[in-house]
C-alpha cells in the first residue's frame, strides 16, 4: 500500500475517464470539466470503464506524479457513476486503493487524553 504522508485532500472523479490519457490529459479534465486546480496539491483519483483500474495524479510542487494501479481478480469499489467529484478522507482513500469497500470506513476522531 502506498500511503501518502501529509494532509492531502482526496478527490475521486465519479465518472470513468479515457484511460489512454496521461498526466496532462487528466489535468485538463480537472480544469475543463470539473473547474478544479490540478496544481493545488490535492490527490485526484480517476476510474476506468473497467472497474479494476485507477489512475491518480498529484502536483508535488515540481511536477505531476502519476500512479496507475490495476487490481487482479476483482474490482475497486467505486462511487455510483455520476457527474462531478467526490471528496474522501485518508482512511477512505486507503480502503479504495486496497480494493476494500471505502463507503464503510468512517473517520475516527482522536480524543484528547484526560489528566487524572
Amino acid at each position: 500500500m502506498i500511503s501518502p504522508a501529509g494532509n492531502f485532500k482526496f478527490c475521486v472523479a465519479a465518472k470513468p475517464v479515457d484511460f489512454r490519457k496521461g498526466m496532462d490529459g487528466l489535468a485538463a479534465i480537472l480544469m475543463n470539466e470539473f473547474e478544479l486546480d490540478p496544481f493545488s496539491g490535492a490527490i485526484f483519483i480517476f476510474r476506468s470503464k473497467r472497474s479494476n483500474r485507477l489512475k491518480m495524479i498529484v502536483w508535488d510542487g515540481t511536477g505531476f506524479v502519476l500512479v496507475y494501479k490495476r487490481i487482479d481478480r476483482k474490482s475497486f469499489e467505486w462511487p455510483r457513476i455520476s457527474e462531478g467529484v467526490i471528496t474522501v478522507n485518508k482512511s477512505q482513500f486507503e480502503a479504495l486503493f486496497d480494493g476494500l469497500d471505502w463507503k464503510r470506513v468512517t473517520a475516527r476522531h482522536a480524543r484528547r487524553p484526560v489528566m487524572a
Side-chain angles (χ1 to χ4, degrees), residues 11-57:
C11 300
V12 179
K15 188 175 175 183
V17 298
D18 180 355
F19 251 47
R20 294 174 291 182
K21 293 190 182 299
M23 292 180 257
D24 297 326
L26 296 173
I29 289 173
L30 292 171
M31 290 186 292
N32 298 327
E33 292 184 28
F34 302 127
E35 297 179 2
L36 294 173
D37 179 13
F39 304 102
S40 67
I43 296 176
F44 299 99
I45 302 126
F46 298 90
R47 65 185 288 177
S48 65
K49 288 180 183 174
R50 294 185 214 161
S51 298
N52 67 338
R53 297 177 291 161
L54 68 74
K55 281 187 180 181
M56 301 184 317
I57 63 167

Side-chain angles (χ1 to χ4, degrees), residues 7-99:
N7 196 14
F8 286 97
K9 180 179 177 182
F10 298 93
C11 300
V12 179
K15 188 175 175 183
V17 298
D18 180 355
F19 251 47
R20 294 174 291 182
K21 293 190 182 299
M23 292 180 257
D24 297 326
L26 296 173
I29 289 173
L30 292 171
M31 290 186 292
N32 298 327
E33 292 184 28
F34 302 127
E35 297 179 2
L36 294 173
D37 179 13
F39 304 102
S40 67
I43 296 176
F44 299 99
I45 302 126
F46 298 90
R47 65 185 288 177
S48 65
K49 288 180 183 174
R50 294 185 214 161
S51 298
N52 67 338
R53 297 177 291 161
L54 68 74
K55 281 187 180 181
M56 301 184 317
I57 63 167
V58 63
W59 177 260
D60 72 353
T62 60
F64 280 113
V65 176
L66 174 70
V67 175
Y68 177 93
K69 182 172 182 178
R70 183 187 70 221
I71 196 164
D72 290 328
R73 297 192 193 116
K74 63 179 191 173
S75 61
F76 291 103
E77 292 290 330
W78 291 107
R80 238 178 265 240
I81 294 176
S82 65
E83 298 295 325
V85 174
I86 297 167
T87 303
V88 296
N89 63 38
K90 185 175 181 176
S91 299
Q92 290 171 323
F93 162 74
E94 289 172 350
L96 171 68
F97 194 80
D98 284 340

